[in-house]
PDB file of all heavy atoms in Angstrom:
ATOM      1  N   HIS A 175     -23.392  22.546  -2.038  1.00 83.00           N
ATOM      2  CA  HIS A 175     -23.604  22.666  -0.597  1.00 83.00           C
ATOM      3  C   HIS A 175     -22.261  22.443   0.107  1.00 83.00           C
ATOM      4  O   HIS A 175     -21.436  21.630  -0.347  1.00 83.00           O
ATOM      5  CB  HIS A 175     -24.621  21.609  -0.133  1.00 83.00           C
ATOM      6  CG  HIS A 175     -25.126  21.817   1.253  1.00 83.00           C
ATOM      7  ND1 HIS A 175     -24.400  21.450   2.365  1.00 83.00           N
ATOM      8  CD2 HIS A 175     -26.282  22.352   1.712  1.00 83.00           C
ATOM      9  CE1 HIS A 175     -25.093  21.750   3.447  1.00 83.00           C
ATOM     10  NE2 HIS A 175     -26.241  22.295   3.082  1.00 83.00           N
ATOM     11  N   PRO A 176     -22.001  23.144   1.231  1.00 82.00           N
ATOM     12  CA  PRO A 176     -20.730  22.958   1.943  1.00 82.00           C
ATOM     13  C   PRO A 176     -20.467  21.522   2.373  1.00 82.00           C
ATOM     14  O   PRO A 176     -19.299  21.095   2.435  1.00 82.00           O
ATOM     15  CB  PRO A 176     -20.876  23.884   3.157  1.00 82.00           C
ATOM     16  CG  PRO A 176     -21.839  24.932   2.719  1.00 82.00           C
ATOM     17  CD  PRO A 176     -22.799  24.242   1.799  1.00 82.00           C
ATOM     18  N   ARG A 177     -21.501  20.747   2.664  1.00 82.00           N
ATOM     19  CA  ARG A 177     -21.263  19.370   3.090  1.00 82.00           C
ATOM     20  C   ARG A 177     -20.743  18.503   1.935  1.00 82.00           C
ATOM     21  O   ARG A 177     -20.179  17.440   2.178  1.00 82.00           O
ATOM     22  CB  ARG A 177     -22.536  18.763   3.702  1.00 82.00           C
ATOM     23  CG  ARG A 177     -22.881  19.376   5.048  1.00 82.00           C
ATOM     24  CD  ARG A 177     -23.961  18.576   5.774  1.00 82.00           C
ATOM     25  NE  ARG A 177     -24.156  19.099   7.121  1.00 82.00           N
ATOM     26  CZ  ARG A 177     -23.430  18.763   8.168  1.00 82.00           C
ATOM     27  NH1 ARG A 177     -22.450  17.877   8.024  1.00 82.00           N
ATOM     28  NH2 ARG A 177     -23.665  19.287   9.359  1.00 82.00           N
ATOM     29  N   VAL A 178     -20.963  18.986   0.740  1.00 84.00           N
ATOM     30  CA  VAL A 178     -20.371  18.313  -0.419  1.00 84.00           C
ATOM     31  C   VAL A 178     -19.000  18.909  -0.720  1.00 84.00           C
ATOM     32  O   VAL A 178     -17.981  18.220  -0.742  1.00 84.00           O
ATOM     33  CB  VAL A 178     -21.293  18.418  -1.643  1.00 84.00           C
ATOM     34  CG1 VAL A 178     -20.586  17.856  -2.890  1.00 84.00           C
ATOM     35  CG2 VAL A 178     -22.599  17.671  -1.405  1.00 84.00           C
ATOM     36  N   HIS A 179     -18.957  20.221  -0.928  1.00 82.00           N
ATOM     37  CA  HIS A 179     -17.731  20.833  -1.437  1.00 82.00           C
ATOM     38  C   HIS A 179     -16.634  20.970  -0.387  1.00 82.00           C
ATOM     39  O   HIS A 179     -15.451  20.927  -0.734  1.00 82.00           O
ATOM     40  CB  HIS A 179     -18.069  22.174  -2.099  1.00 82.00           C
ATOM     41  CG  HIS A 179     -18.668  21.994  -3.457  1.00 82.00           C
ATOM     42  ND1 HIS A 179     -17.914  21.916  -4.596  1.00 82.00           N
ATOM     43  CD2 HIS A 179     -19.951  21.815  -3.842  1.00 82.00           C
ATOM     44  CE1 HIS A 179     -18.699  21.712  -5.630  1.00 82.00           C
ATOM     45  NE2 HIS A 179     -19.955  21.648  -5.203  1.00 82.00           N
ATOM     46  N   ALA A 180     -16.993  21.097   0.866  1.00 84.00           N
ATOM     47  CA  ALA A 180     -15.948  21.080   1.898  1.00 84.00           C
ATOM     48  C   ALA A 180     -15.293  19.706   1.956  1.00 84.00           C
ATOM     49  O   ALA A 180     -14.076  19.584   2.154  1.00 84.00           O
ATOM     50  CB  ALA A 180     -16.539  21.451   3.255  1.00 84.00           C
ATOM     51  N   GLY A 181     -16.082  18.659   1.746  1.00 85.00           N
ATOM     52  CA  GLY A 181     -15.529  17.314   1.723  1.00 85.00           C
ATOM     53  C   GLY A 181     -14.645  17.059   0.522  1.00 85.00           C
ATOM     54  O   GLY A 181     -13.783  16.174   0.542  1.00 85.00           O
ATOM     55  N   LEU A 182     -14.847  17.844  -0.549  1.00 86.00           N
ATOM     56  CA  LEU A 182     -14.014  17.711  -1.748  1.00 86.00           C
ATOM     57  C   LEU A 182     -12.745  18.542  -1.662  1.00 86.00           C
ATOM     58  O   LEU A 182     -11.687  18.130  -2.138  1.00 86.00           O
ATOM     59  CB  LEU A 182     -14.806  18.156  -2.992  1.00 86.00           C
ATOM     60  CG  LEU A 182     -16.058  17.355  -3.362  1.00 86.00           C
ATOM     61  CD1 LEU A 182     -16.762  18.011  -4.534  1.00 86.00           C
ATOM     62  CD2 LEU A 182     -15.689  15.926  -3.699  1.00 86.00           C
ATOM     63  N   LEU A 183     -12.840  19.726  -1.067  1.00 87.00           N
ATOM     64  CA  LEU A 183     -11.767  20.708  -1.165  1.00 87.00           C
ATOM     65  C   LEU A 183     -10.836  20.767   0.041  1.00 87.00           C
ATOM     66  O   LEU A 183      -9.808  21.441  -0.016  1.00 87.00           O
ATOM     67  CB  LEU A 183     -12.365  22.101  -1.399  1.00 87.00           C
ATOM     68  CG  LEU A 183     -12.890  22.355  -2.822  1.00 87.00           C
ATOM     69  CD1 LEU A 183     -13.773  23.593  -2.850  1.00 87.00           C
ATOM     70  CD2 LEU A 183     -11.726  22.510  -3.786  1.00 87.00           C
TER      71      LEU A 183
END
Side-chain angles (χ1 to χ4, degrees):
H175 192 280
R177 290 192 173 276
V178 173
H179 283 271
L182 297 175
L183 285 165

